[in-house]
Amino acid sequence: PDNTRTPLIAWGRGIRGPLPDSVPSSHDSYSKPWGLGHLFRRDVEQADLAALMASLIGIDWPVNSVGVLPDVDPTRPGYLSPELGEESLAQTAFVNAK
């Protein structure tokens, strides 16, 4: 449903830069008018936002969070910068799994 779609734009230290779009395109009729068809679109569930934000600012996960860090799925690009190193990403994934 369109009422739950909210663009998430993140930048700064620890955030991966934009990636070129994939084939087939990651965009649908909802996002085509944004004019960002050349960039990869990565959807995130609402519950995953708390996990992502906690990871970025370096605090403990919210106690009752059911979210999953978007970066733990190896088949899709995440939000965290690979410049942080594999060990850092692995530690973040481990904390998410607890």
Side-chain angles (χ1 to χ4, degrees):
D2 288 345
N3 62 345
T4 60
R5 291 184 176 193
T6 305
L8 171 64
I9 300 170
W11 71 93
R13 187 178 190 288
I15 298 290
R16 154 188 73 67
L19 298 174
D21 197 18
S22 59
V23 176
S25 178
S26 60
H27 295 271
D28 59 13
S29 61
Y30 181 78
S31 64
K32 286 213 188 268
W34 299 348
L36 299 173
H38 62 289
L39 299 176
F40 185 77
R41 175 181 156 189
R42 173 71 158 89
D43 293 339
V44 178
E45 299 292 326
Q46 283 182 326
D48 299 343
L49 287 176
L52 178 61
M53 295 299 122
S55 171
L56 288 171
I57 63 175
I59 63 170
D60 291 335
W61 252 246
V63 176
N64 296 319
S65 175
V66 296
V68 175
L69 185 66
D71 291 70
V72 299
D73 182 354
T75 64
R76 301 172 66 194
Y79 283 92
L80 300 180
S81 174
E83 293 174 359
L84 297 175
E86 292 292 324
E87 183 177 343
S88 177
L89 294 176
Q91 287 175 345
T92 304
F94 177 72
V95 169
N96 187 202
K98 283 185 177 181

